[in-house]
Amino acid sequence: MLRSARIAPTTVRLARGYASSASNVKAAEISALSQIARQYADEVSSKWAGTSATGGNTKNFIGGQFTDSKAKDWLEVRDPGKTFADAQGDVGRGLQVVEAATAITSTLLGDKLEVTNDMDTYSRRLPLGVTAAITPFNFPAMIVLWSAALATVTGNTLIVKPSERDPGATMIIAELCKKAGLPDGVFNVVHGSANTVNAICDAPEIKAISFVGGDTAGKHIYDRAIVQGKRVQANLGAKNHAVIMPDANKNLTLNAVAGAAFGAAGQRCMALSVAIFVGESRKWIPELIERAKGLKVSGGFEEGADLGPVISPQARERIESLIGSVEKEGGKILLDGRGHVVPEYPNGNFVGPTVVEVDTNMSAYKNEIFGPVLNIISAETMDEAIDIINANKYGNGAAIFTNSGATARKFEIQAEPGQIGINVAIPVPLPMFNWSGSKGSFMGDIPFYGKTGLDFYTVRKTTTALWPHQDSLSSRAAVSMPQIN
């Protein structure tokens, strides 16, 4: 990733074909980079063999070797503006899963029972074989790391198809795996878009596919792969809600809501996209808007940047269109982030923090916006708020802010999403627990990481053995300490 690109973003081009990616950047675009941008772009490109920030090739990684593509069609890749702090969190959470996976010697323990005299029944976990992960642009390190950790420690090989929008992080991880001594062929990377995805779905050698991303792609992958007997886990879209009760700690609540709604420019499947203000808590909305106004929108490496650009011009246009639909459908735009300009980055895809007042029938509420847009809804009671949450087709996460234990307990039991936060706006669990949404946010029956992550990458085999004691042969006693080979 570039440190900075004040005049024009670096562009590479990614192959659409199954094998790899490559680039042929116009000289004018490279020369337009500022001095500091060029410095860090050169550093990235010279340090890592599989990726480039100055227009070089992004390669495949197959069998432990970086390989060039033979594809003829290419996809443009521009520097993503994720902030540096958010990128550090991305890597850090991925490494937490790696750390948890190092406990594999105990978590892979099987079961054994002496069912009758001289007869035992026991189960063991076995690897599936070849597995695949199709990962999204918004967490290019974390999801690759957790897939690689769980797939490989359980004895599988893994093929990663990273997002065509930011393949560089995956290529760096591949090179680090090789340097760390991971055997060739255990971790592999291929690039592309629909054709590559379909090839992964259709390949009979691939036994399981893990996917995180949008509804359309996830449903396509699930439907295409599951009928071929593959195991699939697919985390899809989301519309995460937070209920703000009048008895909540106001300062904690407003900071948490603003951070969860606008961090990473709202490009998280666990981003807070709906705030339901119950009763008198509605009076806090103006203060929330003021905190949103105070957030700094800039390039990801700029000092103090709170949110960077969205991923592409097309994403910006879609987000701004959904913001515009609010007034057309009878809602109110309380804070408008459309047309946000960052002078140092005139070509950036920026959308400022946006707050809109909607009802549940409006397009901005019904669709996952995946941008820095917070929907505001009012409710008279917590029961009404829970009904709103449960009526939504998605079920990734929901949170409540309250100082009442009884209120929190009722909410966590009755709200349907798979992850619940109490005074926590983004309730993503640590890797020893399971992580997954429910309802329309998830397809499959085995959630991500935790104990179920091991279940996804392994198959159980049960053995029943009879060894009659009458058949035993006597022998001399062994008195030396047994040796383990």
Side-chain angles (χ1 to χ4, degrees):
M1 182 182 290
L2 290 184
R3 169 78 182 241
S4 175
R6 292 190 179 276
I7 300 178
T10 292
T11 304
V12 300
R13 300 176 75 191
L14 179 68
R16 293 180 184 274
Y18 182 79
S20 70
S21 61
S23 65
N24 183 15
V25 179
K26 297 177 182 177
E29 290 177 320
I30 295 300
S31 63
L33 293 174
S34 66
Q35 183 177 358
I36 189 170
R38 185 58 189 263
Q39 172 189 342
Y40 286 99
D42 288 340
E43 181 180 334
V44 169
S45 302
S46 62
K47 185 175 181 180
W48 303 104
T51 190
S52 170
T54 55
N57 294 346
T58 299
K59 303 176 184 292
N60 286 328
F61 186 72
I62 301 172
Q65 302 298 321
F66 292 104
T67 60
D68 289 311
S69 173
K70 297 180 181 178
K72 297 180 180 179
D73 296 324
W74 309 97
L75 296 171
E76 183 179 81
V77 177
R78 291 182 176 264
D79 177 34
K82 199 174 185 73
T83 65
F84 183 56
D86 194 50
Q88 289 177 309
D90 180 16
V91 174
R93 176 49 66 96
L95 291 178
Q96 287 178 345
V97 180
V98 174
E99 184 179 53
T102 61
I104 200 69
T105 50
S106 58
T107 51
L108 277 186
L109 285 172
D111 303 307
K112 185 173 183 179
L113 178 66
E114 185 177 6
V115 294
T116 188
N117 289 341
D118 300 334
M119 180 176 284
D120 302 315
T121 297
Y122 47 93
S123 68
R124 57 165 62 90
R125 293 179 185 265
L126 298 175
L128 299 176
V130 183
T131 63
I134 300 171
T135 61
F137 75 84
N138 56 336
F139 289 101
M142 179 183 75
I143 296 174
V144 172
L145 283 169
W146 89 38
S147 301
L150 293 176
T152 58
V153 297
T154 49
N156 300 283
T157 60
L158 180 69
I159 299 169
V160 178
K161 205 298 288 184
S163 171
E164 60 272 22
R165 296 174 178 177
D166 54 359
T170 302
M171 302 312 298
I172 291 173
I173 291 170
E175 191 163 352
L176 289 171
C177 287
K178 184 175 179 66
K179 290 179 178 180
L182 193 70
D184 291 349
V186 173
F187 183 85
N188 309 275
V189 185
V190 295
H191 298 286
S193 53
N195 290 341
T196 308
V197 169
N198 289 338
I200 290 172
C201 292
D202 296 343
E205 300 86 356
I206 296 175
K207 305 302 181 184
I209 301 173
S210 180
F211 170 83
V212 177
D215 286 359
T216 302
K219 291 176 181 176
H220 170 79
I221 291 166
Y222 183 87
D223 291 340
R224 185 158 182 154
I226 203 75
V227 296
Q228 301 184 54
K230 298 182 191 295
R231 186 176 289 178
V232 181
Q233 56 179 191
N235 217 71
L236 311 178
K239 202 72 177 179
N240 305 306
H241 298 68
V243 176
I244 293 89
M245 301 299 293
D247 69 339
N249 180 311
K250 183 170 74 170
N251 189 58
L252 167 70
T253 300
L254 295 181
N255 284 335
V257 169
F262 306 120
Q267 298 172 116
R268 298 170 174 154
C269 65
M270 286 298 294
L272 177 61
S273 50
V274 183
I276 305 176
F277 286 84
V278 177
E280 292 296 309
S281 70
R282 181 175 170 76
K283 296 178 180 178
W284 303 352
I285 295 175
E287 292 184 59
L288 174 64
I289 292 172
E290 289 305 309
R291 298 192 190 204
K293 288 179 179 178
L295 296 173
K296 180 179 179 180
V297 183
S298 189
F301 279 96
E302 296 296 331
E303 185 176 355
D306 295 303
L307 58 155
V310 297
I311 190 65
S312 67
Q314 295 78 18
R316 184 190 69 237
E317 291 168 6
R318 178 181 177 276
I319 293 165
E320 292 185 343
S321 175
L322 284 167
I323 295 171
S325 72
V326 172
E327 286 185 331
K328 295 177 183 178
E329 297 175 9
K332 297 179 181 179
I333 301 177
L334 306 180
L335 177 63
D336 193 347
R338 290 176 294 178
H340 192 95
V341 175
V342 178
E344 297 88 351
Y345 299 90
N347 298 318
N349 306 309
F350 295 101
V351 180
T354 300
V355 181
V356 296
E357 191 167 17
V358 300
D359 64 41
T360 58
N361 295 313
M362 295 180 184
S363 299
Y365 175 79
K366 292 190 292 184
N367 293 281
E368 182 182 31
I369 299 178
F370 224 63
V373 181
L374 178 65
N375 288 235
I376 297 290
I377 294 179
S378 298
E380 293 300 319
T381 65
M382 183 183 69
D383 288 333
E384 182 183 346
I386 291 174
D387 289 341
I388 291 171
I389 293 170
N390 291 347
N392 192 275
K393 69 177 181 177
Y394 292 117
N396 234 19
I400 188 167
F401 288 85
T402 180
N403 277 322
S404 167
T407 297
R409 174 66 73 182
K410 181 177 180 178
F411 180 83
E412 71 171 313
I413 298 301
Q414 294 188 359
E416 294 176 353
Q419 298 158 108
I420 300 295
I422 298 173
N423 298 321
V424 175
I426 301 181
V428 177
L430 289 173
M432 61 285 296
F433 295 95
N434 306 325
W435 182 88
S436 183
S438 63
K439 305 196 313 185
S441 291
F442 183 75
M443 297 185 76
D445 55 4
I446 307 179
F448 298 83
Y449 63 64
K451 292 180 180 178
T452 57
L454 298 180
D455 291 337
F456 182 76
Y457 285 106
T458 59
V459 62
R460 293 271 190 171
K461 177 178 283 189
T462 302
T463 301
T464 300
L466 174 63
W467 299 106
H469 69 273
Q470 297 92 337
D471 296 342
S472 63
L473 300 175
S474 61
S475 61
R476 294 184 62 183
V479 296
S480 60
M481 187 72 172
Q483 301 296 310
I484 299 176
N485 297 317

